[in-house]
């Protein structure tokens, strides 16, 4: 930080975008690399920068649109497109596999990697999985189909799914529903559920912060009374005993958990 407490710029990329090209994905930082994606109306361009200088290491184009975050494990960068899931080598952009998805992909929900599987939702609101190493589809026990899915997170034993209809649903290891919390039509989960220390934390459209206690058989929820004036779409961050939350209008708050 600079002397006045404000962040000090270290570098600025002079990247020249083509006509109608706009960045549409979140920034993914891993080790000494930064990954971002843009869309120009017909193709998605994936960029890899060095985190220290902003220099472009590589860039590659994929036909179709991606509008969500990427997922990454080891040297695999997973990208969800409208009708395919891609795996690129983070070192050189080599395409390691590409799996076509007949039911198409919900590109508004980023893929999630867990236990050597890539999870994603198709446009029929069904949770699907691919083998991380070769992209071959994997059958999931049970049949998870949730109307109006807008987010999901995975722990070693559970899957948590947030719905725009005001529900947070937990599935256990066998993908059989173990509980459901219904916020009602007056509110809905709008951020990704974040898991930490037997808790699930998520923000809502109406600006509420919800904390669920996973050690309770009744999945008790604690609601922090209307802390924000606007919706919470960015995922909360948990560090030690603190919860950091930001709403869409830039209001950032920290809570002791």
């Amino acid at each position: 930080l600079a002397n006045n407490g404000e962040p000090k710029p270290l570098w600025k990329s002079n990247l020249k975008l083509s006509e109608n090209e706009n960045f549409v994905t979140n920034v993914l930082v891993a080790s000494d690399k930064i990954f971002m994606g843009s869309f120009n109306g017909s193709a998605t361009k994936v960029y890899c920068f060095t985190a220290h200088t902003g220099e472009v290491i590589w860039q590659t184009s994929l036909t179709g649109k991606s509008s969500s975050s990427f997922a990454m494990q080891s040297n695999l960068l997973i990208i969800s497109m409208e009708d395919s899931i891609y795996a690129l080598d983070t070192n050189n952009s080599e395409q390691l596999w590409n799996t076509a998805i007949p039911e198409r992909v919900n590109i508004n929900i980023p893929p999630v990697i867990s236990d050597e599987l890539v999870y994603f939702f198709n446009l029929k609101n069904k949770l699907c999985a691919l083998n991380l190493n070769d992209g071959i589809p994997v059958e999931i026990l049970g049949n998870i189909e949730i109307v109006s899915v807008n987010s999901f997170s995975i722990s070693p034993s559970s899957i948590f799914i947030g719905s725009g209809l005001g529900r947070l649903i937990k599935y256990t290891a066998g993908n059989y529903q173990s509980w459901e919390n219904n916020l009602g039509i007056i509110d809905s989960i709008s951020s990704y559920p974040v898991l930490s220390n037997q808790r699930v934390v998520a923000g809502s459209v109406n600006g509420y912060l919800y904390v669920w206690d996973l050690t309770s058989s009744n999945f008790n929820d604690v609601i922090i009374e209307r802390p924000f004036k606007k919706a919470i779409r960015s995922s909360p961050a948990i560090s030690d005993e603190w919860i950091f939350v930001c709403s869409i209008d830039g209001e950032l708050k920290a809570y002791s958990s």
Side-chain angles (χ1 to χ4, degrees), residues 23-95:
F23 281 107
V24 294
T25 71
N26 289 345
V27 179
L28 175 62
V29 180
S31 186
D32 60 345
K33 294 185 177 69
I34 299 173
F35 301 92
M36 293 179 63
S38 68
F39 183 64
N40 63 7
S42 61
T44 293
K45 184 174 287 186
V46 183
Y47 293 88
C48 174
F49 304 86
T50 174
H52 299 293
T53 65
E55 179 183 358
V56 176
I57 300 175
W58 56 257
Q59 56 183 282
T60 187
S61 292
L62 303 174
T63 302
K65 183 179 181 180
S66 177
S67 62
S68 62
S69 301
F70 304 146
M72 180 177 170
Q73 182 167 300
S74 299
N75 68 321
L76 293 178
L77 183 68
I78 305 300
I79 304 168
S80 57
M81 307 290 288
E82 292 175 309
D83 55 8
S84 301
I85 303 290
Y86 287 82
L88 305 182
D89 188 324
T90 59
N91 295 312
N92 53 27
S93 79
E94 178 186 356
Q95 190 177 129

Side-chain angles (χ1 to χ4, degrees), residues 209 224 228 237 241-246 251-257:
L209 181 66
I224 299 178
F228 296 92
E241 297 300 318
W242 293 88
I243 300 175
F244 301 91
V245 190
C246 186
E251 189 176 6
L252 177 64
K253 293 186 178 182
Y255 295 90
S256 174
S257 58

Side-chain angles (χ1 to χ4, degrees), residues 6-153:
E6 296 182 358
K8 179 181 179 181
L10 298 178
W11 52 260
K12 178 181 178 181
S13 174
N14 294 317
L15 188 66
K16 294 182 179 179
L17 301 181
S18 62
E19 186 177 359
N20 298 322
E21 182 182 359
N22 295 289
F23 281 107
V24 294
T25 71
N26 289 345
V27 179
L28 175 62
V29 180
S31 186
D32 60 345
K33 294 185 177 69
I34 299 173
F35 301 92
M36 293 179 63
S38 68
F39 183 64
N40 63 7
S42 61
T44 293
K45 184 174 287 186
V46 183
Y47 293 88
C48 174
F49 304 86
T50 174
H52 299 293
T53 65
E55 179 183 358
V56 176
I57 300 175
W58 56 257
Q59 56 183 282
T60 187
S61 292
L62 303 174
T63 302
K65 183 179 181 180
S66 177
S67 62
S68 62
S69 301
F70 304 146
M72 180 177 170
Q73 182 167 300
S74 299
N75 68 321
L76 293 178
L77 183 68
I78 305 300
I79 304 168
S80 57
M81 307 290 288
E82 292 175 309
D83 55 8
S84 301
I85 303 290
Y86 287 82
L88 305 182
D89 188 324
T90 59
N91 295 312
N92 53 27
S93 79
E94 178 186 356
Q95 190 177 129
L96 302 177
W97 53 260
N98 169 19
T99 301
I101 309 299
E103 297 83 6
R104 298 175 68 81
V105 180
N106 187 336
I107 59 173
N108 294 314
I109 304 176
V112 173
I113 299 174
S114 179
D115 293 333
E116 300 300 313
L117 294 178
V118 178
Y119 292 87
F120 65 96
F121 274 90
N122 65 23
L123 287 185
K124 293 184 178 180
N125 295 310
K126 182 178 181 180
L127 182 65
C128 307
L130 305 175
N131 186 292
L132 176 64
N133 297 310
D134 54 24
I136 295 177
V138 176
E139 287 294 327
I140 303 177
L141 294 177
N143 188 25
I144 299 179
E145 293 187 26
I146 308 295
V147 177
S148 297
V149 172
N150 58 19
S151 60
F152 75 108
S153 299

Side-chain angles (χ1 to χ4, degrees), residues 202-220:
S204 76
V205 167
N206 289 338
Y208 289 95
L209 181 66
Y210 293 88
V211 181
W212 285 270
D213 179 7
L214 301 183
T215 63
S216 169
S217 60
N218 295 320
F219 56 92
N220 295 334

Side-chain angles (χ1 to χ4, degrees), residues 158-161 167-172 176-182 199-200 212-221:
S158 303
I159 299 173
F160 297 88
I161 301 173
R167 296 185 296 166
L168 180 72
I169 305 168
K170 175 188 176 183
Y171 287 83
T172 54
Y176 296 102
Q177 185 174 340
S178 57
W179 58 253
E180 174 179 340
N181 182 276
N182 198 329
R199 295 167 300 172
V200 176
W212 285 270
D213 179 7
L214 301 183
T215 63
S216 169
S217 60
N218 295 320
F219 56 92
N220 295 334
D221 58 306

